[in-house]
């Protein structure tokens, strides 16, 4: 794995369950290690052909929500452990959708990520505070989920300022 000073892991509410509807053999979602880059390329071509000519065979039965949560929780724990071993500082960044910004009720997904960061010993940023402070959600989002270029720039400036404010560039240590 790569090593570095700061890793920012961006997670959304849907990251707790939507990936589980995909085939575990698909390259972006697979759960086993890659054998070779050439093998990945061949597998990707096979996946493309299979989904193009036999789409009825590629539909996966969704997992019950509690099973999906369990699988993604274990996966996130492994990922955070790996990042902590390879980076001086790890930040778990909860990315709220445009519909979640002004939700004043306690968001169970935000609470999950906040607690996961605390329990894993990593830093945490709740984007609802950042996006709400922007007060221009129509410009910050491209659609309900994805940031626009202006939104991405806004977040980049926020993160850079946050790194400076917390002195990450000179004091981050393993």
């Amino acid at each position: 794995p790569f090593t570095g000073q700061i890793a920012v892991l961006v997670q959304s509410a849907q990251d707790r369950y939507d990936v589980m509807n995909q085939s575990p053999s698909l390259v972006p979602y697979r759960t086993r290690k890659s054998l070779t880059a050439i093998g990945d390329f061949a597998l990707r071509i096979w996946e493309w052909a299979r989904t193009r000519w036999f789409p009825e065979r590629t539909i996966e039965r969704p997992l019950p929500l509690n099973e999906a949560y369990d699988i993604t929780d274990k996966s996130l724990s492994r990922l955070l452990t790996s990042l902590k071993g390879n980076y001086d500082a790890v930040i778990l960044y909860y990315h709220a959708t445009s519909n979640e910004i002004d939700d004043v009720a306690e968001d169970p997904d935000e609470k999950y990520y906040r607690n996961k960061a605390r329990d894993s010993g990593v830093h945490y940023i709740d984007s609802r505070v950042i996006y709400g402070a922007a007060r221009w959600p129509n410009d910050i989002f491209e659609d309900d989920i994805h940031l626009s270029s202006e939104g991405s720039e806004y977040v980049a400036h926020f993160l850079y300022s946050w790194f400076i404010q917390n002195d990450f560039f000179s004091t981050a240590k393993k």
Side-chain angles (χ1 to χ4, degrees):
F2 302 103
T3 59
Q5 194 168 17
I6 303 169
V8 179
L9 178 60
V10 179
Q11 294 283 280
S12 297
Q14 65 269 17
D15 291 326
R16 296 187 63 202
Y17 58 84
D18 71 345
V19 174
M20 303 321 302
N21 293 331
Q22 304 298 328
S23 167
S25 64
L26 290 175
V27 171
Y29 305 109
R30 83 165 157 237
T31 56
R32 63 185 184 281
K33 286 186 177 182
S34 171
L35 298 177
T36 66
I38 292 173
D40 283 350
F41 177 72
L43 179 59
R44 189 65 196 113
I45 296 298
W46 168 247
E47 290 167 357
W48 174 83
R50 187 179 67 178
T51 56
R52 180 175 172 95
W53 289 303
F54 306 104
E56 69 282 356
R57 295 183 189 173
T58 61
I59 297 172
E60 297 291 323
R61 184 175 58 82
L63 289 174
L65 199 55
N66 61 336
E67 287 183 39
Y69 282 169
D70 184 53
I71 291 170
T72 57
D73 180 65
K74 289 175 183 172
S75 176
L76 181 57
S77 293
R78 286 192 307 265
L79 180 56
L80 288 171
T81 299
S82 176
L83 291 172
K84 284 174 53 179
N86 291 296
Y87 289 86
D88 296 337
V90 177
I91 297 127
L92 181 57
Y93 182 96
Y94 174 64
H95 169 66
T97 65
S98 62
N99 297 330
E100 296 166 333
I101 292 177
D102 294 323
D103 188 4
V104 292
E106 180 152 319
D107 177 351
D109 294 306
E110 185 280 327
K111 182 179 179 181
Y112 164 79
Y113 286 119
R114 181 173 11 102
N115 290 337
K116 179 58 93 173
R118 182 198 64 222
D119 296 345
S120 300
V122 301
H123 300 278
Y124 178 73
I125 297 175
D126 179 0
S127 69
R128 294 179 310 161
V129 175
I130 302 164
Y131 303 160
R135 292 291 173 221
W136 36 283
N138 291 336
D139 293 331
I140 204 168
F141 285 94
E142 187 72 31
D143 53 34
D144 289 341
I145 298 173
H146 304 97
L147 293 175
S148 64
S149 59
E150 293 87 359
S152 296
E153 183 177 348
Y154 183 80
V155 171
H157 284 288
F158 172 85
L159 287 173
Y160 180 75
S161 298
W162 194 83
F163 297 156
I164 297 295
Q165 179 184 5
N166 290 285
D167 202 21
F168 271 84
F169 296 115
S170 64
T171 61
K173 293 182 177 25
K174 286 188 176 178

